[in-house]
Amino acid sequence: MAISLSLVALFGLVLFFLLRSRTLGPGAAFTAAGFGFFLASTGAAKPINQLTESLIQAVSQL
């Protein structure tokens, strides 16, 4: 749970800086956030979470 919250904060921070540097427009940021929100409610959420957890465990064991 703590890992997913920190990833949400990280992605939110990246979106914020992309908006601030005008690399990403407000429409694209809204679309990206909406895509993430709706992706989380599909069947793809569980495999994505498992992949993320596996990657974090692999990096921590290096």
Side-chain angles (χ1 to χ4, degrees):
M1 183 59 131
I3 292 172
S4 64
L5 288 178
S6 63
L7 287 176
V8 168
L10 175 68
F11 288 132
L13 192 62
V14 168
L15 270 177
F16 172 76
F17 283 117
L18 287 174
L19 279 170
R20 187 175 172 124
S21 68
R22 298 189 190 266
T23 306
L24 186 69
F30 181 75
T31 303
F35 176 72
F37 177 76
F38 288 116
L39 182 65
S41 65
T42 65
K46 186 174 180 180
I48 291 171
N49 286 336
Q50 290 174 345
L51 176 66
T52 304
E53 289 176 10
S54 297
L55 287 173
I56 290 171
Q57 288 176 357
V59 169
S60 68
Q61 293 179 1
L62 290 178

